[in-house]
Amino acid sequence: MRVNNKGFKYLIVDYDLKISVSYNQPKFCPHVSWDLTAITIANIDTVGSQPYEIFINTNNTMYVPNRQTGRIIVWYEGNITSATNISANLSNPYGLFVAPSYDIYVDSDNNNGRVTKWTLHTTISVPVMHPCQPCWDIFIDINDTLYCSMNNLHQVITKSLNSDSNALIIVGGTSVAGSTSYMLNSPRGIFVDINFDLYVADCNNNRIQLFQAGQLNGITVAGNGAINTITLNCPSGIVLDADNYLFILDQNNYRIVRSGPNGFQCLVGCYGGGSASHQLITPMSMAFDSFGNIFVSDSDNSRIQKTISVGVSSPYALYVTTSGDIYVDNGNWNGRVDKLALDGTIAVPIMYVGQSCYGLFVGINDILYCSIANLHRVVTKPLNSISNTLTIAAGTGCSGSTSDTLNSPRGIFVDINFDLYVADCNNNRIQLFQSGQLNGITVAGNGAINTITLNCPSGIVLDADNYLFIVDSSNHRIVRSGP
């Protein structure tokens, strides 16, 4: 289901208005998927027992309140190996939100119900909202309005951060539990889009409610009561991507689901709850980093899990095997090669190279070859091995024009004798590396005898008689060898 997509183009470009948000809303390609095996970023020793909220800003700094110590744990700018503690003296905190100014708004007093603001690089907090109940989630819209989801009072309230008044406005629910369109029952996670439409994870009604700007009657967009939807069991979190597709933490089904162009699908925890790397127990909150990876507070496992996006980012090369499997470069942001099954709906990381592959080839012995232009070499990996050990098949990693070096290699071809042909762009030549040899032979272009002048060859293909077909990139032509 695609919900309320009006106006979202302005999140990307608006010629009159620049909108600043502090959280990530990635734009995904149609066949994006996520690795089924997650990575544990932090466990009970760091985040304490049953962590609730997680927030990641556009600099990929991650914030998690430790409910036992009353501190906020911070991992700066994607550095997931080093955590910093902010001493906040919090009392069993739930919700947290970080503004574009880096000010931290946190549910700070579970007993008395208070939201406080912590200014960047200070140890001073200022109360900004007194809801008298815990805020199970906090959100700040682009108009500097603070939202608080009150699970115990079955409503969502707001307060303008630009006003000295502590007047609170109800924007969803009535303070009485119910299942009608204007009522909520134990609301948890909330999200507000740039049109000021409010999405609420309405836990005990097993649904996601949309309250359009200024409206107190909600529309059920997922779960119980929605048309052509998915069954939910106490949803606890809701996030929207750049195209307004929903990402839902389905708490008591121990999973994350999303809407998309083809309806709803399960992304994480799709085979039941547990503590294995592909499972969750009582997920409470999720956030994207700028690369589209999903981070989730896996509460009853007392850990933070990272699930890697395997969508393709600015691909250069692609290779399709006889079985129909697609191997595609995903190196621009993610530094790897992905494999997509024939139906194109499932992608799996298959090779980690740290760079883009300008050429890909799979030999008849199921060896995957990757031409890394920026590192001036060609590397290989057996597809039948679970190890990610890479073997250098050509080049040294340093640019050069000798027989054992390459300079910005592009297209590659491997024949049935396992001989490797490389379009050696900046050396204006085609190099042949015979099987097992690291010294190449120039068979066309600069340095070859009785040949043709090439200008940054970018592709090489052989026909049945082993004649060369060369994409002569900067000469804007295709040439061939022959009898």
Side-chain angles (χ1 to χ4, degrees), residues 358-359 369-373 376-379 393-395 403 405-414 419-434 437 440-445 454 456-462 468 470-471:
Y358 279 62
Y369 293 73
C370 162
S371 171
I372 311 176
H376 315 292
R377 63 190 178 194
V378 178
V379 298
S403 64
T405 59
L406 300 167
N407 193 340
S408 193
R410 304 293 173 87
I412 51 179
F413 187 94
V414 182
D419 295 333
L420 168 66
Y421 294 79
V422 182
D424 191 10
C425 170
N426 286 349
N427 283 323
N428 303 313
R429 66 187 183 182
I430 302 297
Q431 289 292 91
L432 164 61
F433 294 86
Q434 292 178 314
Q437 301 298 312
I441 303 167
T442 304
V443 294
L454 301 175
C456 187
S458 59
I460 174 68
V461 177
L462 273 64
L468 310 180
I470 302 167
V471 178

Side-chain angles (χ1 to χ4, degrees), residues 307-324:
T307 300
I308 297 174
S309 165
V310 291
V312 177
S313 168
S314 301
Y316 284 97
L318 177 146
Y319 189 94
V320 182
T321 65
T322 54
S323 65

Side-chain angles (χ1 to χ4, degrees), residues 317-357:
L318 177 146
Y319 189 94
V320 182
T321 65
T322 54
S323 65
D325 290 335
I326 303 169
Y327 294 83
V328 60
D329 166 56
N330 191 10
N332 188 44
W333 284 351
N334 299 314
R336 64 177 185 252
V337 178
D338 290 340
K339 173 187 172 184
L340 287 85
L342 181 61
D343 61 9
T345 61
I346 298 175
V348 178
I350 203 72
M351 178 191 244
Y352 291 92
V353 292
Q355 295 281 336
S356 294
C357 294

Side-chain angles (χ1 to χ4, degrees), residues 110-162:
N110 194 269
N111 295 320
N112 298 312
R114 181 174 64 214
V115 176
T116 55
K117 178 178 81 169
W118 289 78
T119 303
L120 181 66
H121 301 315
T122 72
T123 58
I124 300 173
S125 66
V126 178
V128 294
M129 178 187 263
H130 298 271
C132 300
Q133 288 284 334
C135 293
W136 284 54
D137 201 12
I138 293 172
F139 201 96
I140 299 174
D141 68 20
I142 59 173
N143 206 28
D144 287 336
T145 298
L146 174 65
Y147 294 70
C148 163
S149 174
M150 304 175 72
N151 177 82
N152 299 337
L153 289 184
H154 316 292
Q155 61 187 6
V156 179
I157 59 174
T158 67
K159 175 191 179 298
S160 172
L161 294 175
N162 298 320

Side-chain angles (χ1 to χ4, degrees), residues 121-439:
H121 301 315
T122 72
T123 58
I124 300 173
S125 66
V126 178
V128 294
M129 178 187 263
H130 298 271
C132 300
Q133 288 284 334
C135 293
W136 284 54
D137 201 12
I138 293 172
F139 201 96
I140 299 174
D141 68 20
I142 59 173
N143 206 28
D144 287 336
T145 298
L146 174 65
Y147 294 70
C148 163
S149 174
M150 304 175 72
N151 177 82
N152 299 337
L153 289 184
H154 316 292
Q155 61 187 6
V156 179
I157 59 174
T158 67
K159 175 191 179 298
S160 172
L161 294 175
N162 298 320
S163 171
D164 292 331
S165 170
N166 196 46
L168 305 178
I169 299 173
I170 297 175
V171 292
T174 64
S175 78
V176 177
S179 59
T180 61
S181 63
Y182 59 89
M183 302 178 80
L184 299 168
N185 192 341
S186 297
R188 303 286 175 88
I190 52 178
F191 187 95
V192 184
D193 66 20
I194 62 170
N195 299 312
F196 310 108
D197 295 333
L198 166 67
Y199 295 78
V200 181
D202 190 9
C203 170
N204 285 348
N205 282 323
N206 303 315
R207 65 187 183 183
I208 302 296
Q209 287 294 92
L210 163 61
F211 294 89
Q212 293 178 313
Q215 300 297 312
L216 291 176
N217 279 297
I219 303 167
T220 303
V221 294
N224 188 20
I227 300 173
N228 299 324
T229 186
I230 194 168
T231 299
L232 302 174
N233 190 350
C234 186
S236 57
I238 175 67
V239 176
L240 274 63
D241 69 9
D243 292 311
N244 276 5
Y245 290 123
L246 311 179
F247 287 72
I248 303 169
L249 283 164
D250 192 10
Q251 176 184 306
N252 290 344
N253 282 326
Y254 314 120
R255 63 182 182 173
I256 301 174
V257 298
R258 75 174 284 234
S259 65
N262 299 313
F264 283 88
Q265 66 179 119
C266 181
L267 303 179
V268 180
C270 306
Y271 304 101
S275 58
S277 59
H278 65 285
Q279 294 177 308
L280 304 167
I281 299 181
T282 319
M284 299 302 293
S285 177
M286 68 160 278
F288 293 115
D289 67 9
S290 62
F291 303 111
N293 302 314
I294 294 174
F295 291 72
V296 57
S297 57
D298 187 12
S299 186
D300 281 356
N301 280 319
S302 297
R303 64 188 182 183
I304 304 297
Q305 295 289 89
K306 175 184 178 182
T307 300
I308 297 174
S309 165
V310 291
V312 177
S313 168
S314 301
Y316 284 97
L318 177 146
Y319 189 94
V320 182
T321 65
T322 54
S323 65
D325 290 335
I326 303 169
Y327 294 83
V328 60
D329 166 56
N330 191 10
N332 188 44
W333 284 351
N334 299 314
R336 64 177 185 252
V337 178
D338 290 340
K339 173 187 172 184
L340 287 85
L342 181 61
D343 61 9
T345 61
I346 298 175
V348 178
I350 203 72
M351 178 191 244
Y352 291 92
V353 292
Q355 295 281 336
S356 294
C357 294
Y358 279 62
L360 287 173
F361 200 96
V362 178
I364 60 173
N365 56 348
D366 286 334
I367 300 293
L368 175 62
Y369 293 73
C370 162
S371 171
I372 311 176
N374 295 337
L375 295 183
H376 315 292
R377 63 190 178 194
V378 178
V379 298
T380 68
K381 175 190 180 298
L383 293 176
N384 298 324
S385 171
I386 60 174
S387 170
N388 195 51
T389 301
L390 304 179
T391 301
I392 296 176
T396 64
C398 298
S399 62
S401 58
T402 58
S403 64
D404 64 335
T405 59
L406 300 167
N407 193 340
S408 193
R410 304 293 173 87
I412 51 179
F413 187 94
V414 182
D415 66 20
I416 59 173
N417 298 314
F418 311 113
D419 295 333
L420 168 66
Y421 294 79
V422 182
D424 191 10
C425 170
N426 286 349
N427 283 323
N428 303 313
R429 66 187 183 182
I430 302 297
Q431 289 292 91
L432 164 61
F433 294 86
Q434 292 178 314
S435 180
Q437 301 298 312
L438 291 175
N439 282 293

Side-chain angles (χ1 to χ4, degrees), residues 463-478:
D463 68 10
D465 295 312
N466 278 3
Y467 290 123
L468 310 180
F469 286 71
I470 302 167
V471 178
D472 192 12
S473 178
S474 294
N475 281 326
H476 316 295
R477 63 181 182 174
I478 298 175

